[in-house]
């Protein structure tokens, strides 16, 4: 991200810069699972979001693809973005648009294994959430 940008640019070359890549990776590692668990019921297509996470951290995924996914996932984690997440019914629409755009651009690098692991993980998280209610 440049100083003028407030949000990760999933199409710009800035995401390939080591500082930006490292910052996005750290943001995703620190905040992804807690954000997902807090909002699982409100996130459409959660399995694709988790598949993007698995692809981003898969050593076989090309660097440019990882950088794009990490930028999109970092945007998802940010608490205040174009449409704040706390707005009921609309809060995740911008996050999902960014994630699904990134997912669409790199879908050939999201493998069946990533998708299957994601489905299993989301099902496990939903079951755990139901059991704690």
């Amino acid at each position: 991200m440049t100083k003028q940008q407030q949000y990760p640019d999933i199409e710009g070359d800035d995401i390939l810069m080591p500082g930006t890549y490292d910052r996005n990776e750290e943001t995703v590692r620190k905040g992804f699972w807690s954000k997902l668990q807090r909002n699982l019921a409100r996130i459409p297509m959660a399995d694709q979001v988790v598949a993007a996470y698995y692809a981003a951290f898969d050593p076989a995924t090309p660097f440019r693809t990882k950088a794009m996914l990490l930028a999109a996932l970092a945007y998802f984690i940010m608490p205040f973005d174009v449409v704040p997440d706390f707005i009921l019914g609309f809060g995740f629409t911008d996050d999902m648009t960014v994630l699904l755009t990134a997912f669409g651009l790199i879908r050939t690098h999201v493998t069946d294994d990533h998708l299957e692991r994601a489905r299993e993980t989301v099902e496990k998280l939903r079951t755990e959430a139901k059991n704690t209610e």
Side-chain angles (χ1 to χ4, degrees):
M1 278 185 294
T2 64
K3 289 181 182 178
Q4 295 86 13
Q5 294 174 313
Q6 293 179 343
Y7 310 109
D9 179 2
I10 66 169
E11 294 181 4
D13 287 334
D14 286 354
I15 63 171
L16 300 175
M17 297 177 71
T20 302
Y21 179 89
D22 292 344
R23 186 172 45 255
N24 288 340
E25 181 180 23
E26 180 180 351
T27 298
V28 172
R29 283 191 190 277
K30 285 182 178 179
F32 179 78
W33 293 109
S34 61
K35 174 101 179 217
L36 182 71
Q37 287 176 314
R38 282 191 317 272
N39 298 287
L40 188 60
R42 298 186 303 158
I43 299 173
M45 301 163 69
D47 55 335
Q48 290 189 353
V49 175
V50 176
Y53 176 91
Y54 287 142
F57 289 101
D58 184 340
T61 302
F63 180 76
R64 185 181 259 304
T65 300
K66 286 182 181 195
M68 185 179 299
L69 286 171
L70 288 170
L73 290 166
Y75 184 86
F76 165 70
I77 292 167
M78 293 170 48
F80 297 103
D81 44 36
V82 175
V83 179
D85 297 339
F86 63 83
I87 297 175
L88 188 62
F90 296 103
F92 288 103
T93 55
D94 61 321
D95 301 62
M96 291 302 105
T97 300
V98 169
L99 282 163
L100 293 176
T101 298
F103 196 83
L105 292 171
I106 54 79
R107 72 177 162 261
T108 57
H109 298 289
V110 177
T111 66
D112 289 340
D113 181 53
H114 298 142
L115 290 166
E116 183 58 33
R117 285 178 58 207
R119 282 186 209 102
E120 290 171 4
T121 300
V122 169
E123 183 60 33
K124 180 180 175 187
L125 291 172
R126 286 190 170 133
T127 300
E128 288 173 0
K130 286 179 187 177
N131 291 337
T132 59
E133 291 177 351

